[in-house]
PDB file of all heavy atoms in Angstrom:
ATOM      1  N   ALA A  33      35.837  10.619 -21.033  1.00  0.00           N
ATOM      2  CA  ALA A  33      37.188  10.076 -20.839  1.00  0.00           C
ATOM      3  C   ALA A  33      37.689   9.388 -22.100  1.00  0.00           C
ATOM      4  O   ALA A  33      38.853   9.534 -22.493  1.00  0.00           O
ATOM      5  CB  ALA A  33      37.181   9.100 -19.661  1.00  0.00           C
ATOM      6  N   THR A  34      36.797   8.647 -22.748  1.00  0.00           N
ATOM      7  CA  THR A  34      37.186   7.973 -23.993  1.00  0.00           C
ATOM      8  C   THR A  34      37.554   8.969 -25.079  1.00  0.00           C
ATOM      9  O   THR A  34      38.551   8.794 -25.795  1.00  0.00           O
ATOM     10  CB  THR A  34      36.038   7.080 -24.483  1.00  0.00           C
ATOM     11  OG1 THR A  34      35.687   6.159 -23.452  1.00  0.00           O
ATOM     12  CG2 THR A  34      36.439   6.322 -25.738  1.00  0.00           C
ATOM     13  N   ALA A  35      36.761  10.044 -25.177  1.00  0.00           N
ATOM     14  CA  ALA A  35      37.029  11.051 -26.208  1.00  0.00           C
ATOM     15  C   ALA A  35      38.368  11.749 -25.971  1.00  0.00           C
ATOM     16  O   ALA A  35      39.053  12.145 -26.924  1.00  0.00           O
ATOM     17  CB  ALA A  35      35.906  12.074 -26.239  1.00  0.00           C
ATOM     18  N   LEU A  36      38.749  11.895 -24.700  1.00  0.00           N
ATOM     19  CA  LEU A  36      40.003  12.576 -24.392  1.00  0.00           C
ATOM     20  C   LEU A  36      41.207  11.641 -24.490  1.00  0.00           C
ATOM     21  O   LEU A  36      42.282  12.047 -24.924  1.00  0.00           O
ATOM     22  CB  LEU A  36      39.934  13.179 -22.985  1.00  0.00           C
ATOM     23  CG  LEU A  36      38.925  14.324 -22.786  1.00  0.00           C
ATOM     24  CD1 LEU A  36      38.862  14.722 -21.322  1.00  0.00           C
ATOM     25  CD2 LEU A  36      39.300  15.524 -23.650  1.00  0.00           C
ATOM     26  N   ILE A  37      41.025  10.404 -24.052  1.00  0.00           N
ATOM     27  CA  ILE A  37      42.161   9.479 -23.971  1.00  0.00           C
ATOM     28  C   ILE A  37      42.422   8.765 -25.288  1.00  0.00           C
ATOM     29  O   ILE A  37      43.579   8.570 -25.681  1.00  0.00           O
ATOM     30  CB  ILE A  37      41.917   8.446 -22.839  1.00  0.00           C
ATOM     31  CG1 ILE A  37      41.875   9.162 -21.490  1.00  0.00           C
ATOM     32  CG2 ILE A  37      42.995   7.372 -22.847  1.00  0.00           C
ATOM     33  CD1 ILE A  37      41.490   8.253 -20.346  1.00  0.00           C
ATOM     34  N   LEU A  38      41.369   8.379 -25.987  1.00  0.00           N
ATOM     35  CA  LEU A  38      41.527   7.536 -27.171  1.00  0.00           C
ATOM     36  C   LEU A  38      42.435   8.145 -28.244  1.00  0.00           C
ATOM     37  O   LEU A  38      43.327   7.449 -28.757  1.00  0.00           O
ATOM     38  CB  LEU A  38      40.157   7.201 -27.768  1.00  0.00           C
ATOM     39  CG  LEU A  38      40.172   6.166 -28.903  1.00  0.00           C
ATOM     40  CD1 LEU A  38      40.759   4.846 -28.397  1.00  0.00           C
ATOM     41  CD2 LEU A  38      38.767   5.958 -29.460  1.00  0.00           C
ATOM     42  N   PRO A  39      42.276   9.443 -28.602  1.00  0.00           N
ATOM     43  CA  PRO A  39      43.193   9.996 -29.612  1.00  0.00           C
ATOM     44  C   PRO A  39      44.659   9.933 -29.190  1.00  0.00           C
ATOM     45  O   PRO A  39      45.538   9.646 -30.003  1.00  0.00           O
ATOM     46  CB  PRO A  39      42.720  11.448 -29.756  1.00  0.00           C
ATOM     47  CG  PRO A  39      41.313  11.441 -29.287  1.00  0.00           C
ATOM     48  CD  PRO A  39      41.237  10.415 -28.205  1.00  0.00           C
ATOM     49  N   ASN A  40      44.895  10.179 -27.900  1.00  0.00           N
ATOM     50  CA  ASN A  40      46.277  10.114 -27.419  1.00  0.00           C
ATOM     51  C   ASN A  40      46.811   8.683 -27.444  1.00  0.00           C
ATOM     52  O   ASN A  40      47.985   8.456 -27.768  1.00  0.00           O
ATOM     53  CB  ASN A  40      46.349  10.666 -25.992  1.00  0.00           C
ATOM     54  CG  ASN A  40      46.027  12.140 -25.948  1.00  0.00           C
ATOM     55  OD1 ASN A  40      46.816  12.975 -26.344  1.00  0.00           O
ATOM     56  ND2 ASN A  40      44.827  12.478 -25.480  1.00  0.00           N
ATOM     57  N   MET A  41      45.941   7.720 -27.100  1.00  0.00           N
ATOM     58  CA  MET A  41      46.376   6.325 -27.141  1.00  0.00           C
ATOM     59  C   MET A  41      46.678   5.890 -28.572  1.00  0.00           C
ATOM     60  O   MET A  41      47.627   5.144 -28.831  1.00  0.00           O
ATOM     61  CB  MET A  41      45.305   5.428 -26.524  1.00  0.00           C
ATOM     62  CG  MET A  41      45.079   5.658 -25.043  1.00  0.00           C
ATOM     63  SD  MET A  41      46.567   5.384 -24.067  1.00  0.00           S
ATOM     64  CE  MET A  41      46.833   3.643 -24.312  1.00  0.00           C
ATOM     65  N   ILE A  42      45.869   6.366 -29.521  1.00  0.00           N
ATOM     66  CA  ILE A  42      46.110   6.021 -30.926  1.00  0.00           C
ATOM     67  C   ILE A  42      47.442   6.606 -31.402  1.00  0.00           C
ATOM     68  O   ILE A  42      48.256   5.927 -32.042  1.00  0.00           O
ATOM     69  CB  ILE A  42      44.947   6.529 -31.797  1.00  0.00           C
ATOM     70  CG1 ILE A  42      43.670   5.749 -31.473  1.00  0.00           C
ATOM     71  CG2 ILE A  42      45.283   6.407 -33.279  1.00  0.00           C
ATOM     72  CD1 ILE A  42      42.439   6.268 -32.179  1.00  0.00           C
ATOM     73  N   LEU A  43      47.689   7.868 -31.060  1.00  0.00           N
ATOM     74  CA  LEU A  43      48.950   8.507 -31.454  1.00  0.00           C
ATOM     75  C   LEU A  43      50.140   7.821 -30.785  1.00  0.00           C
ATOM     76  O   LEU A  43      51.193   7.624 -31.405  1.00  0.00           O
ATOM     77  CB  LEU A  43      48.919   9.990 -31.088  1.00  0.00           C
ATOM     78  CG  LEU A  43      47.919  10.846 -31.876  1.00  0.00           C
ATOM     79  CD1 LEU A  43      47.890  12.271 -31.333  1.00  0.00           C
ATOM     80  CD2 LEU A  43      48.283  10.865 -33.355  1.00  0.00           C
ATOM     81  N   LEU A  44      49.960   7.459 -29.508  1.00  0.00           N
ATOM     82  CA  LEU A  44      51.035   6.764 -28.783  1.00  0.00           C
ATOM     83  C   LEU A  44      51.344   5.421 -29.433  1.00  0.00           C
ATOM     84  O   LEU A  44      52.511   5.030 -29.590  1.00  0.00           O
ATOM     85  CB  LEU A  44      50.612   6.565 -27.324  1.00  0.00           C
ATOM     86  CG  LEU A  44      51.697   6.119 -26.341  1.00  0.00           C
ATOM     87  CD1 LEU A  44      52.753   7.197 -26.194  1.00  0.00           C
ATOM     88  CD2 LEU A  44      51.082   5.792 -24.985  1.00  0.00           C
ATOM     89  N   GLY A  45      50.290   4.718 -29.822  1.00  0.00           N
ATOM     90  CA  GLY A  45      50.491   3.431 -30.468  1.00  0.00           C
ATOM     91  C   GLY A  45      51.159   3.553 -31.825  1.00  0.00           C
ATOM     92  O   GLY A  45      52.048   2.765 -32.169  1.00  0.00           O
ATOM     93  N   LEU A  46      50.741   4.564 -32.608  1.00  0.00           N
ATOM     94  CA  LEU A  46      51.274   4.731 -33.957  1.00  0.00           C
ATOM     95  C   LEU A  46      52.720   5.191 -33.969  1.00  0.00           C
ATOM     96  O   LEU A  46      53.541   4.706 -34.747  1.00  0.00           O
ATOM     97  CB  LEU A  46      50.403   5.725 -34.732  1.00  0.00           C
ATOM     98  CG  LEU A  46      49.045   5.221 -35.224  1.00  0.00           C
ATOM     99  CD1 LEU A  46      48.277   6.348 -35.896  1.00  0.00           C
ATOM    100  CD2 LEU A  46      49.236   4.066 -36.215  1.00  0.00           C
ATOM    101  N   PHE A  47      53.035   6.162 -33.091  1.00  0.00           N
ATOM    102  CA  PHE A  47      54.345   6.816 -33.177  1.00  0.00           C
ATOM    103  C   PHE A  47      55.342   6.368 -32.109  1.00  0.00           C
ATOM    104  O   PHE A  47      56.495   6.785 -32.144  1.00  0.00           O
ATOM    105  CB  PHE A  47      54.168   8.335 -33.103  1.00  0.00           C
ATOM    106  CG  PHE A  47      53.391   8.880 -34.260  1.00  0.00           C
ATOM    107  CD1 PHE A  47      52.077   9.286 -34.105  1.00  0.00           C
ATOM    108  CD2 PHE A  47      53.961   8.965 -35.523  1.00  0.00           C
ATOM    109  CE1 PHE A  47      51.350   9.778 -35.178  1.00  0.00           C
ATOM    110  CE2 PHE A  47      53.249   9.451 -36.596  1.00  0.00           C
ATOM    111  CZ  PHE A  47      51.932   9.858 -36.434  1.00  0.00           C
ATOM    112  N   THR A  48      54.910   5.536 -31.155  1.00  0.00           N
ATOM    113  CA  THR A  48      55.850   5.039 -30.142  1.00  0.00           C
ATOM    114  C   THR A  48      55.944   3.517 -30.162  1.00  0.00           C
ATOM    115  O   THR A  48      57.027   2.959 -30.363  1.00  0.00           O
ATOM    116  CB  THR A  48      55.419   5.513 -28.743  1.00  0.00           C
ATOM    117  OG1 THR A  48      55.393   6.940 -28.713  1.00  0.00           O
ATOM    118  CG2 THR A  48      56.388   5.009 -27.689  1.00  0.00           C
ATOM    119  N   TYR A  49      54.813   2.847 -29.954  1.00  0.00           N
ATOM    120  CA  TYR A  49      54.879   1.394 -29.807  1.00  0.00           C
ATOM    121  C   TYR A  49      55.015   0.673 -31.152  1.00  0.00           C
ATOM    122  O   TYR A  49      55.686  -0.350 -31.245  1.00  0.00           O
ATOM    123  CB  TYR A  49      53.647   0.894 -29.040  1.00  0.00           C
ATOM    124  CG  TYR A  49      53.677   1.323 -27.601  1.00  0.00           C
ATOM    125  CD1 TYR A  49      52.856   2.330 -27.126  1.00  0.00           C
ATOM    126  CD2 TYR A  49      54.580   0.746 -26.708  1.00  0.00           C
ATOM    127  CE1 TYR A  49      52.899   2.743 -25.803  1.00  0.00           C
ATOM    128  CE2 TYR A  49      54.643   1.142 -25.387  1.00  0.00           C
ATOM    129  CZ  TYR A  49      53.797   2.143 -24.940  1.00  0.00           C
ATOM    130  OH  TYR A  49      53.860   2.547 -23.639  1.00  0.00           O
ATOM    131  N   ARG A  50      54.384   1.210 -32.187  1.00  0.00           N
ATOM    132  CA  ARG A  50      54.545   0.556 -33.491  1.00  0.00           C
ATOM    133  C   ARG A  50      56.001   0.624 -33.985  1.00  0.00           C
ATOM    134  O   ARG A  50      56.558  -0.401 -34.404  1.00  0.00           O
ATOM    135  CB  ARG A  50      53.600   1.175 -34.524  1.00  0.00           C
ATOM    136  CG  ARG A  50      53.672   0.476 -35.865  1.00  0.00           C
ATOM    137  CD  ARG A  50      52.818   1.153 -36.916  1.00  0.00           C
ATOM    138  NE  ARG A  50      52.974   0.516 -38.219  1.00  0.00           N
ATOM    139  CZ  ARG A  50      53.970   0.722 -39.045  1.00  0.00           C
ATOM    140  NH1 ARG A  50      54.952   1.552 -38.693  1.00  0.00           N
ATOM    141  NH2 ARG A  50      54.036   0.108 -40.197  1.00  0.00           N
ATOM    142  N   PRO A  51      56.673   1.801 -33.936  1.00  0.00           N
ATOM    143  CA  PRO A  51      58.097   1.806 -34.310  1.00  0.00           C
ATOM    144  C   PRO A  51      58.952   0.916 -33.427  1.00  0.00           C
ATOM    145  O   PRO A  51      59.936   0.334 -33.891  1.00  0.00           O
ATOM    146  CB  PRO A  51      58.486   3.287 -34.154  1.00  0.00           C
ATOM    147  CG  PRO A  51      57.213   4.038 -34.292  1.00  0.00           C
ATOM    148  CD  PRO A  51      56.170   3.148 -33.685  1.00  0.00           C
ATOM    149  N   LEU A  52      58.573   0.816 -32.142  1.00  0.00           N
ATOM    150  CA  LEU A  52      59.337  -0.040 -31.228  1.00  0.00           C
ATOM    151  C   LEU A  52      59.250  -1.500 -31.659  1.00  0.00           C
ATOM    152  O   LEU A  52      60.264  -2.214 -31.730  1.00  0.00           O
ATOM    153  CB  LEU A  52      58.792   0.135 -29.809  1.00  0.00           C
ATOM    154  CG  LEU A  52      59.546  -0.585 -28.691  1.00  0.00           C
ATOM    155  CD1 LEU A  52      60.941  -0.010 -28.538  1.00  0.00           C
ATOM    156  CD2 LEU A  52      58.771  -0.464 -27.382  1.00  0.00           C
ATOM    157  N   ILE A  53      58.035  -1.942 -31.977  1.00  0.00           N
ATOM    158  CA  ILE A  53      57.845  -3.323 -32.429  1.00  0.00           C
ATOM    159  C   ILE A  53      58.522  -3.534 -33.787  1.00  0.00           C
ATOM    160  O   ILE A  53      59.159  -4.573 -34.036  1.00  0.00           O
ATOM    161  CB  ILE A  53      56.337  -3.639 -32.506  1.00  0.00           C
ATOM    162  CG1 ILE A  53      55.730  -3.590 -31.093  1.00  0.00           C
ATOM    163  CG2 ILE A  53      56.095  -4.999 -33.139  1.00  0.00           C
ATOM    164  CD1 ILE A  53      54.220  -3.676 -31.086  1.00  0.00           C
ATOM    165  N   ASP A  54      58.407  -2.551 -34.662  1.00  0.00           N
ATOM    166  CA  ASP A  54      59.024  -2.665 -35.982  1.00  0.00           C
ATOM    167  C   ASP A  54      60.549  -2.723 -35.872  1.00  0.00           C
ATOM    168  O   ASP A  54      61.215  -3.460 -36.618  1.00  0.00           O
ATOM    169  CB  ASP A  54      58.603  -1.473 -36.841  1.00  0.00           C
ATOM    170  CG  ASP A  54      58.475  -1.864 -38.297  1.00  0.00           C
ATOM    171  OD1 ASP A  54      58.244  -3.055 -38.584  1.00  0.00           O
ATOM    172  OD2 ASP A  54      58.623  -0.981 -39.160  1.00  0.00           O
ATOM    173  N   ASN A  55      61.114  -1.937 -34.963  1.00  0.00           N
ATOM    174  CA  ASN A  55      62.561  -1.963 -34.749  1.00  0.00           C
ATOM    175  C   ASN A  55      63.016  -3.346 -34.280  1.00  0.00           C
ATOM    176  O   ASN A  55      64.042  -3.868 -34.741  1.00  0.00           O
ATOM    177  CB  ASN A  55      62.930  -0.899 -33.718  1.00  0.00           C
ATOM    178  CG  ASN A  55      64.412  -0.895 -33.409  1.00  0.00           C
ATOM    179  OD1 ASN A  55      65.202  -0.327 -34.148  1.00  0.00           O
ATOM    180  ND2 ASN A  55      64.802  -1.552 -32.317  1.00  0.00           N
ATOM    181  N   PHE A  56      62.231  -3.931 -33.369  1.00  0.00           N
ATOM    182  CA  PHE A  56      62.555  -5.275 -32.877  1.00  0.00           C
ATOM    183  C   PHE A  56      62.511  -6.289 -34.023  1.00  0.00           C
ATOM    184  O   PHE A  56      63.361  -7.173 -34.132  1.00  0.00           O
ATOM    185  CB  PHE A  56      61.570  -5.657 -31.770  1.00  0.00           C
ATOM    186  CG  PHE A  56      61.866  -6.974 -31.134  1.00  0.00           C
ATOM    187  CD1 PHE A  56      63.010  -7.151 -30.362  1.00  0.00           C
ATOM    188  CD2 PHE A  56      61.009  -8.048 -31.291  1.00  0.00           C
ATOM    189  CE1 PHE A  56      63.292  -8.378 -29.773  1.00  0.00           C
ATOM    190  CE2 PHE A  56      61.278  -9.272 -30.707  1.00  0.00           C
ATOM    191  CZ  PHE A  56      62.423  -9.429 -29.948  1.00  0.00           C
ATOM    192  N   ARG A  57      61.544  -6.153 -34.915  1.00  0.00           N
ATOM    193  CA  ARG A  57      61.434  -7.068 -36.066  1.00  0.00           C
ATOM    194  C   ARG A  57      62.620  -6.897 -37.022  1.00  0.00           C
ATOM    195  O   ARG A  57      63.215  -7.893 -37.465  1.00  0.00           O
ATOM    196  CB  ARG A  57      60.129  -6.770 -36.814  1.00  0.00           C
ATOM    197  CG  ARG A  57      59.876  -7.655 -38.017  1.00  0.00           C
ATOM    198  CD  ARG A  57      58.588  -7.264 -38.708  1.00  0.00           C
ATOM    199  NE  ARG A  57      58.650  -5.918 -39.277  1.00  0.00           N
ATOM    200  CZ  ARG A  57      59.166  -5.630 -40.463  1.00  0.00           C
ATOM    201  NH1 ARG A  57      59.677  -6.600 -41.211  1.00  0.00           N
ATOM    202  NH2 ARG A  57      59.167  -4.390 -40.913  1.00  0.00           N
ATOM    203  N   ILE A  58      62.999  -5.657 -37.288  1.00  0.00           N
ATOM    204  CA  ILE A  58      64.094  -5.398 -38.240  1.00  0.00           C
ATOM    205  C   ILE A  58      65.420  -5.925 -37.709  1.00  0.00           C
ATOM    206  O   ILE A  58      66.318  -6.277 -38.478  1.00  0.00           O
ATOM    207  CB  ILE A  58      64.172  -3.885 -38.521  1.00  0.00           C
ATOM    208  CG1 ILE A  58      62.938  -3.429 -39.291  1.00  0.00           C
ATOM    209  CG2 ILE A  58      65.424  -3.524 -39.312  1.00  0.00           C
ATOM    210  CD1 ILE A  58      62.842  -1.930 -39.455  1.00  0.00           C
TER     211      ILE A  58
END
Side-chain angles (χ1 to χ4, degrees):
T34 304
L36 294 174
I37 296 174
L38 188 60
N40 294 286
M41 295 301 295
I42 292 174
L43 293 175
L44 192 65
L46 285 177
F47 296 105
T48 301
Y49 291 106
R50 183 184 176 280
L52 185 65
I53 295 171
D54 213 25
N55 178 81
F56 184 67
R57 181 181 65 84
I58 292 173

